[in-house]
Amino acid sequence: MESSNDVLINKIKVFFKKYPFLFNILYYTFGASFIGKSPQKAITDLSEDKIILNLGSGTRIIREHIVNVDFYPFMNVDIVADIGKLPFADNSIDAVICESVLEHVKNPSAIVNEIERVLKPGALVYIIVPFIAGFHSSPNDYYRWSKEGLRELMKDFKEEEIGIRHGPTSALLSVLNDWLATVFSFGIKEIQQVLLVFFTMVTFPFKIFDYIIYRFKSSENIAYGFYFIGTKKAKK
């Protein structure tokens, strides 16, 4: 099997995840823009005694008392588990957060079904998925969703809110930086990866435009990614 085209980028991510503070700085500085409703705001009304899972959490701590679940034993991970086979009883969880994870699994619908299984009726789910985004393995990358595609994926939940989480400028830069790195590397993968890091660092200030243009309706056609907030439907 051919190795991934972004091995270096993935190795950098894994390295910095050993140092959560530094990783968070890089994540918010050089990652996609963060607009729309955050997971923190989505769970504002949930008290600390509620059981909230963050699936595929990595090192991030969204809020105290949230249970971080990840396949890898990174720092700040509370439970190491396959998110397709969660070690929780049916109807036992008050909320689930799953940010930018579903594109990295082979069967995202199975993960969504597992989320539905563990949530209590009426409990909250918060999902983020990419739309116009370059390939980014973690350790692999399989899927993309439009706004309507995300609705279809989450059709068994009652939709409360859906919108742009990462804006169109981030989408543009994701493709442009990769294009520039590809052109100027002359097909040499190792150079392409180094140039991609370089161009990402050089162009990140332009993401500020996302905080203006994401409000335009047509931005949904070229957004980097969407968020979905829903609740589990009660069984009839």
Side-chain angles (χ1 to χ4, degrees):
M1 181 180 295
E2 184 178 352
S3 60
S4 168
N5 287 326
D6 68 343
V7 172
L8 176 61
I9 302 295
N10 199 37
K11 285 183 176 179
I12 291 173
K13 290 179 184 178
V14 172
F15 173 79
F16 279 103
K17 283 183 178 181
K18 298 176 183 177
Y19 310 95
F21 178 74
L22 289 175
F23 179 78
N24 285 335
I25 291 176
L26 294 173
Y27 181 72
Y28 285 104
T29 302
F30 298 112
S33 58
F34 292 89
I35 52 184
K37 183 167 286 186
S38 68
Q40 290 90 338
K41 289 184 178 179
I43 62 172
T44 297
D45 296 333
L46 296 180
S47 59
E48 292 184 353
D49 63 327
K50 299 297 184 182
I51 303 175
I52 304 173
L53 305 181
N54 183 15
L55 303 185
S57 64
T59 62
R60 292 186 62 220
I61 297 178
I62 293 174
R63 196 178 80 179
E64 293 297 325
H65 307 294
I66 291 180
V67 180
N68 279 352
V69 182
D70 201 289
F71 188 75
Y72 297 99
F74 294 120
M75 187 179 298
N76 299 329
V77 170
D78 301 300
I79 297 176
V80 177
D82 178 355
I83 63 172
K85 300 177 182 178
L86 293 172
F88 302 98
D90 296 359
N91 306 309
S92 62
I93 304 300
D94 296 291
V96 168
I97 297 167
C98 188
E99 296 183 82
S100 304
V101 173
L102 295 181
E103 69 268 28
H104 300 298
V105 300
K106 291 182 178 180
N107 190 348
S109 294
I111 305 300
V112 172
N113 290 340
E114 185 69 351
I115 291 172
E116 183 183 23
R117 179 186 70 80
V118 300
L119 283 175
K120 298 175 181 177
L124 181 142
V125 60
Y126 177 95
I127 300 285
I128 293 176
V129 296
F131 179 33
I132 307 295
F135 181 88
H136 54 283
S137 62
S138 186
N140 218 321
D141 190 7
Y142 299 99
Y143 299 101
R144 298 292 183 269
W145 291 267
S146 65
K147 184 177 179 181
E148 293 307 314
L150 178 55
R151 279 189 164 126
E152 177 65 20
L153 179 67
M154 304 303 294
K155 62 185 178 182
D156 292 331
F157 290 84
K158 178 184 177 184
E159 180 183 318
E160 302 293 341
E161 188 174 332
I162 190 170
I164 296 174
R165 178 57 174 156
H166 307 301
T169 309
S170 294
L172 171 64
L173 295 179
S174 172
V175 176
L176 176 62
N177 292 336
D178 224 326
W179 184 87
L180 290 170
T182 297
V183 169
F184 290 106
S185 67
F186 300 102
I188 302 173
K189 184 168 66 175
E190 292 76 11
I191 296 178
Q192 190 271 345
Q193 287 288 277
V194 172
L195 287 176
L196 179 56
V197 173
F198 170 74
F199 287 124
T200 298
M201 294 176 66
V202 169
T203 62
F204 85 90
F206 291 99
K207 292 186 301 181
I208 193 170
F209 288 108
D210 274 343
Y211 296 91
I212 301 172
I213 64 175
Y214 89 96
R215 299 178 183 277
F216 302 161
K217 182 65 176 176
S218 57
S219 289
E220 293 180 352
N221 298 335
I222 51 173
Y224 184 98
F226 296 99
Y227 71 92
F228 175 94
I229 302 174
T231 52
K232 179 176 176 177
K233 299 176 182 178
K235 297 294 183 181
K236 296 181 180 180

